[in-house]
Amino acid sequence: MALEREYAAWQGARFCLAVASGGQAMQIALRAAGVRAGETVLTNAFTLAPVPGAIAAVGAKPVFVETTEDLVIDLDDLSSKAKRTGARYLLLSHMRGHLCDMEALLAVATEIDLKVIEDCAHTMGATWNGRRSGSFGLAGCFSTQTYKHLNSGEGGLLTSDDAEFIARATILSGSYMLYERHGAGPNADTYTNIRLDTPNMSARMDNLRAALLRPQLQGIEEAICAWNARHDLLAARLAANPEIRIPHRPAAERYVGSSIQFMIPVISAKSARVLLRLLADMGVEVKWFGAKAPAGFTSDHHSWRYAGAQDLPRTDAILAGLFDMRLPLTFSLDDCELIADHILDAVTAVVPKVEA
């Protein structure tokens, strides 16, 4: 497919496979990497339901790794849990667009012999020291679902530089022995045995969705600049309030600010609910990760009971005061100024009066 060729070229990957969803990209990547039923796969505690869902879908067990105050994976806890569980795989979720120190993560992964698969649903176009998200591990998994950086309603992309891995992924996705027609796949010889040993899971992207994505890909760099202008304006305004903490973004990280996260560490659950109501009355839709019941895109590990109860006190403390807001490009910079005013007014109204 033309989309596969064009995305591989833009991503800087040897191979690209277009599939039905970002969740399917992760499931196929785990299977193609060799994850076996019953084994442990590590992943971030701060993530979204499709990530542990992909692990469960291949019959593996998700084990969650603690999150830092900057909303990235805790490398010390990663090392500890990998050694304790004997895990061979990490499905690394760049949740809400936050990249950890990728060189440090790869050093840990090399030391403990972890294969890394990146969930890049929120980091399409992001880089660490000039290297694109999705190019650090065995594979990068991208989503083109609604609200993502490229939008086809539903869809996904899987990239890799490993020929045998992507050949297995291609057969898994449902090539129906038409693998030579794929836009960015390995040589036909790579499939000689793989095509007979690998089941077909029927998860290919259709041509209509691919056609929707190709023109968007041509404009993604301009979109990234526009998202970051909106994000940075809001982040600077909110950071001026001492009750609000904005996650630190290292100089090495070129992020894509299609959403913004802010923390109010002192807030109680009661105050958080009041804050959400005040903002909703002003027409500002903010999500909160500290609610007991999942709402929209804010579920957490307590809601994923199939994974088993896990003790994650540091992550729980962070989520209790964590708020999240999407920043669509339909928002102008003036809109973002007004949204910042509303958030600051609501926090000023809620925190002193309720928390004092």
Side-chain angles (χ1 to χ4, degrees):
M1 287 170 57
L3 173 66
E4 291 168 325
R5 289 193 298 270
E6 291 163 4
Y7 194 83
W10 178 77
Q11 172 68 12
R14 288 182 68 197
F15 309 115
C16 176
L17 178 68
V19 294
S21 69
Q24 281 293 331
M26 289 186 285
Q27 291 182 40
I28 289 169
L30 291 169
R31 291 183 192 277
V35 174
R36 297 189 296 261
E39 75 174 302
T40 295
V41 175
L42 301 172
T43 194
N44 310 53
F46 177 47
T47 188
L48 289 181
V51 177
I55 296 170
V58 301
K61 178 184 177 182
V63 169
F64 299 113
V65 179
E66 290 275 23
T67 301
T68 74
E69 290 186 347
D70 292 320
L71 304 183
V72 298
I73 195 166
D74 185 309
L75 297 184
D76 290 336
D77 195 44
L78 171 65
S79 179
S80 174
K81 284 179 175 167
K83 292 172 182 176
R84 176 172 60 80
T85 63
R88 301 183 300 143
Y89 298 92
L90 167 66
L91 181 52
L92 176 65
S93 179
H94 302 308
M95 174 65 170
R96 285 296 189 260
H98 296 274
L99 293 174
C100 70
D101 183 328
M102 293 304 294
E103 284 100 357
L105 180 132
L106 290 184
V108 170
T110 299
E111 177 190 353
I112 57 183
D113 197 23
L114 272 180
K115 283 186 180 179
V116 178
I117 295 168
E118 296 177 67
D119 162 34
C120 306
H122 301 164
T123 54
M124 182 184 287
T127 63
W128 183 269
N129 277 331
R131 184 173 171 184
R132 284 206 193 277
S133 165
S135 67
F136 291 89
L138 173 63
C141 303
F142 302 85
S143 173
T144 63
Q145 186 189 48
T146 305
Y147 301 125
K148 300 303 190 296
H149 302 156
L150 300 180
N151 174 9
S152 57
E154 188 62 273
L157 297 157
L158 177 60
T159 60
S160 181
D161 291 334
D162 187 299
E164 291 193 359
F165 166 84
I166 207 72
R168 286 192 294 272
T170 300
I171 299 298
L172 283 163
S173 74
S175 76
Y176 298 95
M177 298 304 165
L178 301 177
Y179 45 81
E180 291 183 78
R181 298 187 187 180
H182 284 243
N187 293 331
D189 290 348
T190 312
Y191 292 90
T192 300
N193 292 313
I194 288 171
R195 63 180 183 161
L196 304 176
D197 296 332
T198 307
N200 178 339
M201 302 295 184
S202 295
R204 281 288 285 159
M205 178 185 287
D206 61 80
N207 286 333
L208 178 58
R209 289 174 182 170
L212 292 171
L213 294 171
R214 291 181 64 202
Q216 293 178 59
L217 181 59
Q218 294 175 14
I220 191 170
E221 295 296 341
E222 292 81 3
I224 289 170
C225 291
W227 272 312
N228 285 357
R230 287 150 179 77
H231 173 279
D232 293 350
L233 186 159
L234 267 165
R237 291 286 313 280
L238 298 184
N241 186 315
E243 302 293 349
I244 297 175
R245 183 180 183 279
I246 303 294
H248 173 64
R249 312 301 297 239
E253 179 189 21
R254 185 226 186 186
Y255 50 88
V256 181
S258 56
S259 67
I260 188 167
Q261 293 71 49
F262 61 94
M263 286 164 278
I264 308 176
V266 301
I267 202 163
S268 67
K270 179 181 177 181
S271 302
R273 289 190 289 270
V274 173
L275 181 68
L276 294 180
R277 286 198 298 271
L278 285 175
L279 290 172
D281 289 344
M282 299 174 190
V284 178
E285 185 178 2
V286 170
K287 302 296 185 183
W288 174 46
F289 277 95
K292 289 186 177 180
F297 298 94
T298 58
S299 62
D300 66 18
H301 68 97
H302 298 288
S303 305
W304 309 324
R305 293 192 296 192
Y306 55 84
Q310 300 186 33
D311 186 30
L312 296 155
R314 282 174 284 165
T315 297
D316 289 343
I318 291 165
L319 296 183
L322 179 62
F323 299 86
D324 171 72
M325 184 178 182
R326 296 188 184 279
L327 299 176
L329 295 182
T330 51
F331 287 0
S332 68
L333 293 178
D334 286 342
D335 291 335
C336 292
E337 289 279 11
L338 182 59
I339 289 166
D341 289 340
H342 287 330
I343 293 173
L344 290 168
D345 288 347
V347 170
T348 299
V350 168
V351 173
K353 293 181 179 179
V354 179
E355 301 299 325

